[in-house]
Amino acid sequence: MIDKLSHLDETGRARMVDISKKGDTERIAIARGEVRMRPKTLDIIRNGLIKKGDVLTVAQIAGIMAAKRTSEIIPLCHPLPIMEIQVDLSLDPSLPGIQITSSVKTIAKTGVEMEALTATAVAALTVYDMVKAVEKTMQIQNIRLVKKTGGKSGDVLNE
């Protein structure tokens, strides 16, 4: 574990990390999160009765778009060449709600954890936006990095 925050300089001011001396490696990050809702709301989504359209497809596209633009909304993130993005949403009656898993891959000097987390968060927000006319008490929860591979800091597994 590193004892120092890399986004702070020696005086404690925010800075973008210099990655120029790092080598390009394949990096993959997987993030997950959930949108908890009433069982009746989940049934309405399952049956395609949301007037705004196909909730899962719109949220999937929103997550993909968000991953591609992460460096524009998280101030100290580097823009990265993203090779692959997968955003999967599945109905989960045991929650009840929607499970979201985002996977992002690059070959670059720094990782794609923020892109995977951003994809998951924006997909969840999109579900909320599309369904809020039916239920305003939905809960976006448990957004977390579950896996990271590649890079100097090594692999992380947080299932």
Side-chain angles (χ1 to χ4, degrees):
M1 185 61 81
I2 298 172
D3 292 333
K4 178 178 141 179
L5 297 175
S6 61
H7 284 87
L8 298 177
D9 68 15
E10 54 282 340
T11 65
R13 296 181 66 186
R15 68 178 177 103
M16 182 179 260
V17 175
D18 180 1
I19 60 171
S20 62
K21 292 181 176 51
K22 294 172 81 175
D24 286 348
T25 60
E26 181 179 87
R27 296 157 183 272
I28 298 170
I30 299 171
R32 288 199 182 114
E34 299 95 32
V35 182
R36 181 181 288 270
M37 61 192 64
R38 295 187 312 243
K40 181 179 179 182
T41 304
L42 188 60
D43 286 340
I44 290 169
I45 295 169
R46 179 184 292 110
N47 294 318
L49 301 175
I50 298 294
K51 292 183 180 179
K52 287 186 174 184
D54 181 344
V55 173
L56 302 183
T57 300
V58 174
Q60 177 188 38
I61 302 270
I64 290 168
M65 291 174 65
K68 293 179 354 180
R69 301 191 75 164
T70 298
S71 68
E72 295 176 31
I73 58 175
I74 307 291
L76 302 177
C77 284
H78 291 85
L80 295 173
I82 296 183
M83 307 299 169
E84 181 181 21
I85 304 167
Q86 293 180 5
V87 178
D88 297 309
L89 293 95
S90 60
L91 304 178
D92 183 349
S94 68
L95 192 55
I98 297 174
Q99 297 278 352
I100 303 165
T101 302
S102 301
S103 174
V104 182
K105 177 180 176 182
T106 190
I107 298 173
K109 297 175 185 304
T110 191
V112 285
E113 298 92 0
M114 294 308 299
E115 287 74 8
L117 288 162
T118 300
T120 299
V122 169
L125 288 165
T126 302
V127 168
Y128 187 94
D129 179 56
M130 291 193 69
V131 182
K132 69 184 181 222
V134 173
E135 179 184 349
K136 290 184 177 32
T137 59
M138 291 175 286
Q139 297 173 9
I140 295 171
Q141 62 187 34
N142 205 16
I143 296 173
R144 73 249 183 230
L145 178 71
V146 295
K147 185 175 182 183
K148 166 198 117 46
T149 61
K152 181 180 169 186
S153 64
D155 297 350
V156 172
L157 186 59
N158 184 30
E159 291 280 348

